[in-house]
Amino acid sequence: MGKDKKDSKVGKTKTRKRKVLGLAALGAVATVLFRRNRRSAKPEGVWRDLGDPRA
Amino acid sequence: MKAAVIGSESQKGRRVARDLQEAGLETIAIDPGQSAAGFDVIVSSLEGFPEKEITSAEAAGSHGVPFVSGNSDPDSAEALIAFAESRQAKDAPVVIGCGWSPGLSGILARLAARELDSVRRVKVSWVVSTSGPDRNRALARAMLSLSGSAVTFENGAWTRRQAGQEGEEIFFPEPIGWKAVQIARALDPLTLPGAFPATERVVVKGGISEPFVGRLVRRIASRVTLASRGSIERASGAYGQLIRAAQGFGQSSHSWSGMRVDVTGTAGDATKTISLAVVDQLSNLDSIPLVVSAILAARGEIVGSGTLDSRVTPESFLPGITQRGLRVARLDRRDS
């Protein structure tokens, strides 16, 4: 692996770009998971039918 | 009893006319401003066009016929409030805001306030679904309400805020659940402070049930600088394809819309929040409060002019909507 990396022709700029893209992708995944989690958050309480207000 | 419906060519108008007929009223469609002679109530299902409503209300008043309006258009609110307030006690009633928000929102706020010694804050939150058959109406409502500058009542004074901002998640009855809502333009912050003298804050927030469509609509609404019906319609046309694509992408598993009213105040030494809500299809939420208002007005059970919540009591109004299938729910908090 280490040898592959050393031999790689990918320059420093390309490596930086890949790192940024990777971080952005991770951020997007984290955002999606966070929002899903928030959406399935615990209910604030129980909604009960009020019934007839005259009763 | 005889009812005349203005705006009966719209989906909402057709539904109101049908429901009034089913309730046993002879119902006829008329044009705005047409003579009201011989009718027991004039019902307006127009959205926008406050000048047409005022002309019709004057025509109704000249024959002593009550006029009820379900107009929820935020641009029309101030003109209609001013007109209703200018009516004398001896005049035929002119009742405005006979919808779900405004309308039912104020009635629920008054019902909740009975459990409190004094009301400090009122928050009305609504959410519409763009997944069902009412998707275009839901979109128009959201676009109109979430664009431009909204009047809110803060620290005992009216102020203006950018609509579509200050988002928060609100828990609606199932199947809606938690939804994001933002500051919305509405009539309630103009009228409800008058009902609760000690109140410090009245705010209305609204949103779209489908998050992806909601974000897109907010983005578009924030770019509409002239928050008028015309500019919104132009923007809706220009972005129509984009919104339709988003609707396809972000379909919800249900098409329910809903409203929640939170009233916070003091009860004894404690601070308490009472939360009431309704959930139904948008077409029912739009038309049922207007139908019930029209029936009460035709029977002569509404006296004087003003907003719906100031003219009826929860006891006289809520049985009518319950009978038509709109159920009011109350939140029992986990911590209480």
Side-chain angles (χ1 to χ4, degrees):
Chain A
M1 284 295 284
K3 200 182 173 191
D4 288 348
K5 212 172 180 182
K6 246 182 200 174
D7 293 344
S8 169
K9 288 178 182 172
V10 178
K12 276 187 178 175
T13 315
K14 273 195 174 172
T15 311
R16 200 175 297 138
K17 269 187 187 169
R18 282 184 179 175
K19 276 183 182 170
V20 171
L21 283 173
L23 280 172
L26 270 175
V29 170
T31 307
V32 168
L33 289 175
F34 171 73
R35 287 194 173 150
R36 270 196 192 161
N37 183 43
R38 196 171 52 165
R39 227 173 285 153
S40 61
K42 277 194 293 185
E44 191 181 350
V46 179
W47 287 101
R48 297 192 192 283
D49 193 339
L50 197 64
D52 190 338
R54 290 173 300 187
Chain B
M1 288 189 291
K2 263 178 97 173
V5 179
I6 298 166
S8 59
E9 62 280 2
S10 69
Q11 194 187 351
K12 177 177 164 185
R14 284 196 298 274
R15 171 68 194 273
V16 167
R18 191 197 75 191
D19 285 6
L20 286 172
Q21 266 171 341
E22 281 176 6
L25 278 79
E26 188 186 338
T27 308
I28 293 164
I30 64 166
D31 292 325
Q34 200 175 319
S35 171
F39 292 106
D40 296 294
V41 65
I42 307 294
V43 188
S44 171
S45 56
L46 292 174
E47 287 293 333
F49 312 107
E51 63 294 336
K52 287 186 181 176
E53 290 214 312
I54 290 170
T55 309
S56 303
E58 282 169 342
S62 65
H63 290 93
V65 178
F67 178 88
V68 296
S69 161
N71 203 337
S72 63
D73 175 47
D75 291 325
S76 308
E78 288 184 42
L80 294 175
I81 291 169
F83 177 72
E85 284 176 350
S86 71
R87 306 287 292 175
Q88 305 288 317
K90 62 179 170 51
D91 293 336
V94 171
V95 189
I96 61 167
C98 302
W100 57 301
S101 172
L104 190 53
S105 54
I107 294 170
L108 295 185
R110 284 178 189 257
L111 182 65
R114 289 184 181 170
E115 295 182 39
L116 303 168
D117 299 328
S118 74
V119 172
R120 297 286 178 202
R121 292 190 298 278
V122 179
K123 182 164 73 182
V124 177
S125 312
W126 54 258
V127 66
V128 289
S129 171
T130 57
S131 290
D134 302 318
R135 65 173 68 89
N136 291 339
R137 200 136 44 109
L139 266 179
R141 181 187 174 99
M143 287 281 282
L144 270 170
S145 306
L146 299 175
S147 64
S149 112
V151 174
T152 59
F153 190 74
E154 316 254 357
N155 301 318
W158 282 283
T159 180
R160 285 199 173 268
R161 296 286 189 86
Q162 175 66 44
Q165 304 293 314
E166 296 181 42
E168 64 175 308
E169 298 261 329
I170 294 287
F171 183 61
F172 291 90
E174 294 299 340
I176 298 178
W178 289 97
K179 292 292 168 194
V181 292
Q182 290 78 25
I183 294 260
R185 296 197 296 144
L187 183 141
D188 285 328
L190 293 168
T191 58
L192 283 182
F196 310 116
T199 194
E200 293 159 358
R201 178 176 161 89
V202 178
V203 65
V204 175
K205 292 191 170 188
I208 288 182
S209 202
E210 296 74 23
F212 189 76
V213 182
R215 275 198 293 280
L216 184 60
V217 164
R218 282 202 304 283
R219 190 68 59 84
I220 296 169
S222 68
R223 287 166 200 270
V224 180
T225 47
L226 296 167
S228 68
R229 183 165 283 272
S231 62
I232 297 287
E233 278 168 6
R234 280 194 295 278
S236 300
Y239 290 97
Q241 283 196 321
L242 203 57
I243 290 174
R244 273 192 289 279
Q247 283 173 327
F249 187 73
Q251 287 284 307
S252 169
S253 56
H254 63 77
S255 56
W256 299 97
S257 298
M259 175 184 64
R260 167 174 164 164
V261 180
D262 294 287
V263 181
T264 305
T266 51
D269 295 333
T271 299
K272 201 173 168 186
T273 299
I274 312 289
S275 304
L276 302 173
V278 286
V279 168
D280 212 308
Q281 298 295 320
L282 182 58
S283 55
N284 293 337
L285 290 166
D286 258 345
S287 61
I288 290 174
L290 182 55
V291 168
V292 175
S293 309
I295 292 169
L296 292 177
R299 285 185 194 151
E301 291 177 26
I302 294 183
V303 179
S305 299
T307 53
L308 177 67
D309 62 279
S310 69
R311 299 293 106 204
V312 298
T313 61
E315 287 78 7
S316 66
F317 192 83
L318 294 180
I321 67 156
T322 307
Q323 193 189 338
R324 286 167 177 78
L326 263 190
R327 309 293 293 190
V328 178
R330 179 194 167 113
L331 183 68
D332 286 344
R333 287 184 167 72
R334 284 177 177 270
D335 55 0
S336 61

